Amino acid sequence: MILSNSGFRILERALDASVLRQQVIANNIANEGTPRFKRSEVTFESLLKKELSGVKGLVGYRTDPRHFEIGEPAVAKPTIQTDRHSVMNNNLNNVDIDAEMSLMAMNQLRYNVMIQQANHDIRMTRTAIGGR
C-alpha cells in the first residue's frame, strides 16, 4: 500500500528528524543562560540527499542489529552534532537566542508541510479504497 512505499517511509523519517530537531532546539533555548553550554543541531537533510543520490561509501555488512555500524548507514538517520568550538557570550555559551527562535519557526513550518503531505497521501489512499 501507499503507507509502506519508499516515499512515505522517507516522509516518516523526515518527520522523526523534525521532531528530534524541535527537541534539540528547545534544549538549546532552555540552556541559553547556562555557562559553558554548547548548542547542538540535527543533521538529516544532507544525509538523506546523499542517500537519494545513490552516493554510498564503504558499508560493513551486519548480521545482527547489535553490531557496530561500519561506514555510513545505508538508510540516513538524523544525527545530533554539538558545536564545541564557537563562543557567543562571556560565559562561554554559544546559544544565539534569535537564531534558535528562527530555526524553531523554520522547523515548525517544515513539519507542518510534511504533515499536510502525509495527510494528503492517507486521504488519497482512503479515496482509492472507498471508490469515491
Side-chain angles (χ1 to χ4, degrees):
M1 290 309 260
I2 193 167
L3 300 181
S4 62
N5 72 14
S6 63
F8 198 82
R9 293 288 169 217
I10 290 172
L11 186 59
E12 184 180 18
R13 290 187 343 213
L15 282 167
D16 290 342
S18 183
V19 169
L20 179 62
R21 181 172 289 125
Q22 196 75 2
Q23 292 170 346
V24 168
I25 292 170
N27 187 49
N28 290 342
I29 291 171
N31 288 293
E32 187 260 340
T34 304
R36 299 184 184 272
F37 178 81
K38 299 299 182 187
R39 68 176 299 275
S40 297
E41 62 185 18
V42 174
T43 303
F44 177 69
E45 285 78 12
S46 60
L47 300 173
L48 180 63
K49 186 176 181 180
K50 190 185 295 184
E51 175 190 333
L52 294 176
S53 68
V55 177
K56 295 179 181 172
L58 179 64
V59 178
Y61 179 72
R62 297 185 325 162
T63 56
D64 190 289
R66 294 175 292 178
H67 292 163
F68 290 110
E69 292 184 13
I70 300 171
E72 295 181 16
V75 176
K77 297 177 184 172
T79 58
I80 299 174
Q81 297 178 338
T82 302
D83 179 8
R84 299 189 186 283
H85 303 292
S86 65
V87 174
M88 181 73 184
N89 301 321
N90 290 336
N91 61 4
L92 302 178
N93 185 317
N94 64 355
V95 176
D96 180 359
I97 192 70
D98 293 331
E100 297 296 332
M101 295 301 285
S102 297
L103 289 172
M104 182 176 268
M106 185 171 67
N107 188 51
Q108 184 66 47
L109 290 173
R110 185 180 295 159
Y111 181 84
N112 289 344
V113 168
M114 289 186 288
I115 285 293
Q116 287 177 357
Q117 182 63 42
N119 286 336
H120 174 75
D121 290 350
I122 292 169
R123 194 175 324 116
M124 295 302 288
T125 302
R126 281 186 182 164
T127 300
I129 292 171
R132 293 193 258 166

